[in-house]
Amino acid sequence: MKVAAAQFAPTADAAANLVVIEEMTAEAAEAGAELVVFPEEAMVPSDFSDETDAPLARLALAHWDDFLEGLSRIARTHGIAIIAAGYEDSSTALPYNTMAAVDASGEILGLYRKMHLYDAFSYKESRRIQRGDTGPVVVRIGDFNVGLVNCYDIRFPEFTRSLVEMGADLLAVSAAWVKGPLKEDHWQTLLRTRAIENTCWVVAASLTTPDCIGMSMAVDPLGVVRAALGEEERSLLVTDAGKDRIDRARTVLPVLRNRRIIIGPR
């Protein structure tokens, strides 16, 4: 299955961001991709809630339904599955940071509300976001079981291992990976590590807003980077994520069979 990762720099205009998502989705479909992964905050970046004096909860209430409907329409129009993240109303003062997976017919396959909030490196996401209490989430797209991973989640090996226990053979990562000392190295190392330790594909898309690194990439089940972007403000990568590569990796490196401590979804 060909899979694409799209990185771009969304603005405060949620409708305009959907236009960009549609343009990049059309490009991915034209390249033969069956799935395109967009970054965290693809609906609207969280920082704009400060600039516009509109709390994230208000932005979620105003834009989430249109964002979800837009993803469904775009997927159906172009015949390609989409994974993207935005802010969903939680009926509280804080919204959820939610990934949506939509199939090529426009059907919503699943929603994953971010469980691990980014309270690290002097940032406090929990002041803005309601923690998700259901998950992990795996959806079926084409021949793949796809696990949904939202940014900071990638630092928790037990989370991605739980997705693999649920049958995931591809991890779709939506991120707004913030720049900073060692952060680029952490991003690359963590993506490759999650692929190697789980012998699965990892396809990750990150924002390219001024505070984020971009560097979207696709990593195969033996940790080989098959495609990667740099800091391009708007760009797309496409890779052929073959199931045969998973089979070969799990034959020569049977770490999942060799385990002695088994964890699973709680």
Side-chain angles (χ1 to χ4, degrees), residues 137-216:
V137 173
V138 175
V139 298
R140 184 75 174 179
I141 297 175
D143 293 331
F144 279 80
N145 294 317
V146 179
L148 306 185
V149 182
N150 192 326
C151 200
Y152 193 48
D153 288 332
I154 202 70
R155 290 188 180 272
F156 298 86
E158 68 276 14
F159 180 80
T160 49
R161 179 54 57 85
S162 292
L163 289 167
V164 173
E165 287 286 342
M166 295 168 65
D169 37 33
L170 186 150
L171 303 178
V173 184
S174 292
W177 202 263
V178 179
K179 295 177 180 177
L182 298 177
K183 294 295 296 300
E184 290 85 351
D185 182 63
H186 286 192
W187 170 251
Q188 294 170 310
T189 300
L190 288 163
L191 293 178
R192 294 188 66 224
T193 300
R194 298 292 90 90
I196 294 167
E197 70 191 4
N198 292 301
T199 52
C200 68
W201 283 92
V202 174
V203 177
S206 178
L207 288 189
T208 54
T209 47
D211 60 334
C212 292
I213 66 170
M215 296 179 64
S216 301

Side-chain angles (χ1 to χ4, degrees), residues 17 52 61 85 91 96 118 176 191 227 249:
N17 296 335
T52 61
L61 191 61
S91 300
Y96 293 118
Y118 182 52
L191 293 178

